[in-house]
Amino acid sequence: MPAERDAIDGLRADWAALRPDLDTEPIEVLGRILRAARVLQQAADAWLESSGITRSEFDVLSQLRRAGRGLRPGDLTAGIVGSPAATTKRIHKLVAAGLVLRAPDPADGRAALVELTPAGVELVDEVLPRQVEAERRLASVLDADQRAQLASLLRTALLAWEAPA
């Protein structure tokens, strides 16, 4: 075990004392991934606060910007982390902020398309370089080889976890 201990090491030690019969090894990875995700989400929300949006809302805007066209809400949900209800809530907030529009889908009048407004395009183009630089600073705690290894391991895990059952 490394010389430095983190909260997950403490958590596992607590469980080992309380339930020595229970193998808590999966917490080594999954607990750290969940804690890291929370820390990164909080950092991203803090960086974006001055722009008036959250990381989750920025993800919607970014997906629309990359697509270069309107997308159905279901397509947005498939491309980001969250539920259909969370996507709907984000879209409503972004419409109210004047960053996206909802319009009828010309291919299917029962459906809607979500499109970036010029203000939405401008916001993504302004914020993205700052976001990437902030993420670069966070990732710099690992050297290039460690970042590549971690990225590869996470890709492997996500491909398995997100695969259809």
Side-chain angles (χ1 to χ4, degrees):
M1 191 177 317
E4 289 188 66
R5 293 174 46 92
D6 67 2
I8 298 300
D9 293 322
L11 183 149
R12 288 194 67 211
D14 291 346
W15 279 121
L18 186 62
R19 292 283 311 272
D21 60 308
L22 187 62
D23 178 10
T24 61
E25 185 270 337
I27 296 171
E28 287 272 2
V29 174
L30 299 181
R32 286 189 175 98
I33 288 172
L34 291 170
R35 286 180 65 85
R38 187 178 75 238
V39 167
L40 296 174
Q41 182 74 45
Q42 290 170 345
D45 284 345
W47 300 324
L48 291 166
E49 186 175 19
S50 65
S51 301
I53 58 173
T54 65
R55 174 60 192 242
S56 299
E57 293 157 356
F58 183 70
D59 289 345
V60 170
L61 296 172
S62 295
Q63 187 176 359
L64 289 166
R65 183 72 171 115
R66 290 189 317 272
R69 60 182 172 79
L71 296 173
R72 290 181 175 187
D75 296 329
L76 287 167
T77 299
I80 57 176
V81 176
S83 66
T87 300
T88 298
K89 182 179 177 182
R90 291 176 191 138
I91 291 169
H92 286 306
K93 183 174 179 213
L94 294 169
V95 166
L99 299 172
V100 301
L101 296 171
R102 283 182 71 112
D105 183 344
D108 181 354
R110 298 168 297 164
L113 290 178
V114 180
E115 301 174 357
L116 283 175
T117 64
V121 171
E122 185 178 325
L123 181 66
V124 172
D125 289 350
E126 173 193 320
V127 169
L128 183 61
R130 292 192 329 246
Q131 183 73 16
V132 170
E133 186 52 38
E135 290 177 3
R136 184 182 326 283
R137 285 191 307 271
L138 276 176
S140 73
V141 300
L142 304 173
D143 66 35
D145 289 340
Q146 291 170 322
R147 290 190 305 270
Q149 182 180 17
L150 180 58
S152 178
L153 292 169
L154 289 170
R155 179 185 304 107
T156 298
L158 285 169
L159 287 170
W161 295 335
E162 294 179 337

